[in-house]
């Protein structure tokens, strides 16, 4: 079959964000848009020639078409072998595991994570490196630079492969292995958590509810929770991946999962629930009448790490993204292990994991992970929580309240102002940035400012520096306020305001979160003039 070298020209705006290139489907569907970015990857990563590549995605609209295109381009660039999930499906943590298991040079992962799908929705593509993690900033910069000086792309002129057929196929000289996307991942999970204890807990009559939100996590959840652990049939809901995620929003947080929250309310509710996002790397954990924040989930897993086989006797360090609450910091200090604060973006955890400095990490955006892969892992997080329930023989709420009683409660919330003009979002950020040098010692809504800065991170492993990672204001009374413009949307801007207040006294732990944070919310408005500069009376999403 002939190989084609086709002329092209650079396309503006193909700069990857914190998790690859995410744009509207209509953009990716334009001639050469996908091909240009994939060509930029091959230009920036010449080691893919003669190597193994992992390929798959979350099943959203354009996924199958993109997989076929990338296969033909991989053949044209001399890739020796591609491991692709059946029907082009592969969760992000499973892709990370396959890279590490097979010694692949990297993976091309097709997902826009928690963003909506369908013809009017979003599409995404990112490259993960040989360690299994997202490309670091130096490589994403190189991919973007390559995208801006293209004159051609190379692709094989071959028929589409049958991706429903498991096993080996040939595309030119390249081997294509179509594999069960769940099998290797499920085998890994059984080495990390106590499946026997969880089975016994389920056999004792405890009930689960897992919501895959019509995304790729469904097949993984059915295999693990129903087939291997023995949960009742139909414990996994919305399990069939759909190109438009059933018309819903594949974002596992209270604002987008009202049916699951209702299911978990009242005395007849299941004992445990979890929801997963589009590519199954994010998670929301719930108990009966109990919804965890991701920050609390990370802290509780750290505090109970000795109960999980994966961590027993080997938890030396944890890490969190800067906007994530400092709940895990308190645990680390009390139990004597290291705690690192990184910028937002899972790639920043990679060096710490590879160096063995941390074994557990998480972000406030419903991402929790560990050193078994180099991505956040939603299904694993649910299994780890089930491990705690089975061993401690307590409910989710009992574990949470006991944790607060021991370590204190970090009241925490994120207020998202979505779909702003870039100008409006930047205006708020610039107003706050301009005040940073003079904030220390001043008072906002009755709170005295201790420190204020624009977070910069120096990687303790390789010394690389990342500037401008979010605006932080810390108050004398321990409250903390953080502002960022999100890099994961596909249009406009999202202003994220993070609010945190530590309360040690258990008698005050029952407060409503927004009421507990009311003074800090007022301080954010006084500082950023958010209503005036954005025209919004309130946040669009509060989690």
């Amino acid at each position: 079959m002939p190989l084609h070298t086709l002329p092209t020209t650079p396309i503006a705006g193909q700069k990857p964000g914190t998790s690859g290139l995410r744009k509207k489907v209509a953009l990716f569907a334009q001639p050469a848009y996908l091909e240009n970015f994939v060509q930029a990857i091959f230009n920036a990563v010449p080691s893919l020639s003669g190597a193994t590549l992992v390929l798959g995605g979350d099943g959203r609209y354009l996924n199958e078409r993109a997989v076929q295109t990338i296969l033909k381009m991989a053949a044209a660039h001399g890739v020796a072998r591609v491991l692709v999930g059946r029907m082009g499906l592969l969760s992000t943590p499973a892709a990370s595991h396959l890279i590490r298991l097979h010694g692949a040079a990297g993976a091309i992962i097709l997902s826009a994570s928690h963003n909506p799908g369908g013809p009017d929705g979003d599409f995404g593509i990112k490259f993960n490196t040989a360690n299994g993690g997202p490309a670091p900033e130096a490589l994403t910069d190189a991919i973007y630079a390559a995208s801006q000086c293209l004159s051609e792309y190379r692709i094989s002129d071959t028929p589409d492969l049958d991706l429903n057929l498991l096993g080996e196929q040939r595309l030119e000289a390249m081997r294509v292995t179509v594999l069960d996307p769940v099998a290797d991942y499920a085998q890994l999970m059984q080495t990390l958590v106590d499946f026997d204890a969880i089975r016994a807990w389920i056999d004792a009559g405890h009930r689960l509810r897992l919501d895959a939100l019509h995304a790729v996590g469904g097949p993984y959840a059915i295999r693990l929770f129903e087939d291997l652990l023995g949960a009742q049939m139909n414990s996994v809901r919305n399990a069939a991946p759909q190109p438009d995620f059933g018309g819903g929003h594949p974002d596992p947080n209270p604002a987008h999962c009202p049916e699951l929250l209702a299911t978990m309310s009242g005395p007849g509710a299941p004992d445990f629930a979890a929801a997963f996002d589009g590519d199954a790397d994010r998670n929301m954990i719930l108990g009966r009448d109990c919804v965890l924040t991701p920050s609390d989930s990370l802290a509780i897993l750290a505090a109970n790490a000795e109960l999980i086989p994966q961590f027993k006797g080997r938890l030396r360090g944890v890490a969190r993204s800067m906007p994530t609450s400092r709940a895990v910091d308190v645990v680390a200090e009390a139990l004597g292990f290291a705690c690192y604060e990184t910028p937002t973006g899972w790639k920043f955890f990679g060096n710490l994991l590879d160096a063995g400095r941390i074994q557990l990490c998480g972000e406030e955006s419903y991402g929790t992970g560990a050193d078994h892969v180099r991505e956040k892992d939603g299904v694993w997080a649910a299994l780890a929580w089930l491990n705690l329930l089975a061993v401690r023989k307590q409910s989710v709420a009992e574990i949470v309240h006991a944790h607060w009683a021991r370590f204190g409660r970090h009241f925490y919330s994120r207020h998202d102002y979505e779909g702003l003009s870039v100008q409006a979002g930047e205006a708020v950020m610039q107003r706050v940035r301009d005040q940073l040098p003079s904030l220390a010692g001043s008072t906002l809504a009755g709170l005295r400012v201790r420190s204020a800065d624009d977070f910069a991170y120096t990687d303790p492993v390789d010394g690389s520096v990342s500037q401008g990672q979010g605006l932080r204001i810390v108050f004398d009374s321990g409250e903390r306020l953080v502002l960022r413009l999100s890099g994961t949307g596909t249009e406009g801007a999202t202003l994220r305001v993070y609010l945190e207040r530590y309360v040690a006294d258990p008698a005050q732990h029952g407060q409503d979160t927004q009421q507990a944070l009311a003074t800090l919310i007022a301080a954010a408005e006084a500082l950023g003039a958010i209503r005036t500069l954005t025209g919004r009376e309130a946040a669009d999403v509060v989690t």
Side-chain angles (χ1 to χ4, degrees):
M1 298 291 181
L3 300 178
H4 285 322
T5 299
L6 302 177
T8 191
T9 56
I11 298 173
Q14 291 197 325
K15 184 174 179 59
T18 55
S19 294
L21 182 68
R22 295 180 186 174
K23 300 291 182 182
K24 287 294 181 184
V25 163
L27 271 179
F28 269 102
Q30 290 179 354
Y33 194 94
L34 173 69
E35 290 86 347
N36 268 28
F37 191 73
V38 174
Q39 183 65 54
I41 292 175
F42 283 116
N43 287 357
V45 192
S47 60
L48 288 171
S49 180
T52 296
L53 174 70
V54 174
L55 174 63
D58 61 15
R60 67 179 58 230
Y61 190 83
L62 282 189
N63 190 85
E64 288 190 50
R65 171 180 154 187
V67 166
Q68 296 286 356
T69 296
I70 294 166
L71 284 170
K72 295 170 188 179
M73 293 186 70
H77 286 84
V79 173
R81 184 188 186 198
V82 176
L83 305 172
V84 59
R86 186 177 185 178
M87 300 306 295
L89 296 176
L90 202 59
S91 79
T92 292
S96 179
H97 175 52
L98 286 173
I99 294 171
R100 298 166 65 80
L101 181 66
H102 293 275
I108 295 178
I109 300 174
L110 305 172
S111 176
S113 187
H114 55 301
N115 292 11
D120 299 321
D122 300 337
F123 192 76
I125 178 172
K126 69 173 183 174
F127 182 74
N128 278 33
T129 61
N131 78 335
E137 284 185 315
L139 181 51
T140 57
D141 288 347
I143 292 171
Y144 174 61
S147 77
Q148 296 306 291
C149 59
L150 293 176
S151 60
E152 63 185 31
Y153 66 86
R154 300 200 300 280
I155 189 167
S156 174
D157 183 16
T158 57
D160 287 352
L161 296 183
D162 182 357
L163 298 182
N164 193 40
L165 182 64
L166 293 176
E168 296 280 339
Q169 302 180 49
R170 284 276 176 177
L171 200 163
E172 305 286 359
M174 183 177 75
R175 285 191 300 152
V176 178
T177 303
V178 181
L179 46 76
D180 177 345
V182 180
D184 289 316
Y185 177 86
Q187 186 173 351
L188 174 66
M189 292 300 105
Q190 294 174 76
T191 69
L192 304 176
V193 301
D194 191 339
F195 269 54
D196 289 338
I198 298 171
R199 283 192 199 97
W201 183 82
I202 292 172
D203 288 345
H206 294 102
R207 292 182 297 124
L208 315 182
R209 176 61 57 86
L210 295 311
D211 194 337
L213 301 179
H214 303 287
V216 79
Y220 294 85
I222 288 176
R223 182 80 58 86
L224 285 156
F225 296 99
E226 293 187 7
D227 296 347
L228 295 177
L229 288 172
Q232 293 179 357
M233 187 177 296
N234 294 322
S235 293
V236 182
R237 303 298 176 91
N238 303 318
Q242 297 185 27
D244 65 348
F245 304 119
H249 204 307
D251 191 353
N253 68 52
H256 293 118
C257 298
E259 291 183 7
L260 185 59
L261 266 65
T263 297
M264 295 304 294
S265 177
D271 300 280
F272 173 84
F276 313 116
D277 72 332
D279 59 337
D281 64 350
R282 296 174 191 252
N283 73 94
M284 177 174 65
I285 302 297
L286 307 92
R288 185 180 298 152
D289 296 317
C290 179
V291 182
L292 270 72
T293 69
S295 298
D296 277 344
S297 180
L298 174 64
I300 293 168
L301 288 174
N304 292 273
E306 283 295 303
L307 303 181
I308 301 172
Q310 179 178 3
F311 301 122
K312 189 170 181 60
R314 57 180 297 271
L315 183 63
R316 296 181 297 278
V318 297
R320 62 166 176 83
S321 66
M322 183 273 286
T324 302
S325 97
R326 294 170 293 182
V328 75
D329 302 43
V330 175
V331 172
E333 183 176 2
L335 301 186
F337 48 80
C339 185
Y340 297 85
E341 182 180 44
T342 75
T344 296
W346 211 260
K347 56 194 173 187
F348 292 103
F349 295 137
N351 279 357
L352 297 171
L353 290 163
D354 287 345
R357 295 197 179 203
I358 64 170
Q359 290 71 45
L360 177 67
C361 47
E363 294 184 335
E364 53 73 35
S365 54
Y366 292 86
T368 321
D371 59 353
H372 62 284
V373 290
R374 294 298 180 266
E375 288 279 3
K376 46 188 171 284
D377 191 345
V379 175
W380 166 85
L383 290 169
W385 259 96
L386 282 176
N387 196 148
L388 296 189
L389 296 178
V391 175
R392 289 189 54 157
K393 302 186 186 308
Q394 293 176 298
S395 70
V396 173
E398 287 169 340
I399 291 174
V400 171
H401 292 142
H403 181 88
W404 290 344
R406 179 180 180 187
F407 296 103
R409 181 176 181 182
H410 289 252
F411 286 95
Y412 184 84
S413 184
R414 190 179 89 189
H415 291 202
D416 288 356
Y417 297 80
E418 298 182 332
L420 300 175
S421 68
V422 174
Q423 293 81 359
E426 288 286 2
V428 174
M429 295 295 287
Q430 192 58 51
R431 173 185 164 88
V432 177
R433 194 175 288 114
D434 289 345
Q435 297 178 68
L436 291 178
S438 59
L439 278 178
S442 67
T443 300
L444 294 168
L447 299 174
R448 190 172 186 274
V449 177
R450 177 191 303 165
S451 64
D453 68 352
D454 193 343
F455 179 55
Y457 176 68
T458 300
D459 191 298
V461 178
D462 65 16
S464 61
V465 177
S466 299
Q467 302 279 358
Q469 296 297 314
L471 310 181
R472 300 186 299 183
I473 297 90
V474 179
F475 298 89
D476 281 348
S477 47
E479 287 91 344
R480 191 175 66 133
L481 172 64
V482 174
L483 295 93
R484 290 182 62 251
L485 280 184
S486 174
T488 58
T490 59
E491 59 183 1
T494 296
L495 174 68
R496 303 198 194 280
V497 180
Y498 309 84
L499 308 141
E500 178 183 4
R501 177 188 170 204
Y502 175 71
V503 175
D505 182 3
Q508 299 184 46
H509 289 170
Q511 298 177 71
D512 172 79
T513 296
Q514 300 308 314
Q515 290 179 355
L517 296 171
T519 302
L520 197 55
I521 293 169
E525 176 58 34
L527 180 65
I530 298 171
R531 286 197 295 268
T532 299
L533 294 176
T534 67
R536 304 287 178 85
E537 288 300 314
D540 299 281
V541 179
V542 174
T543 53

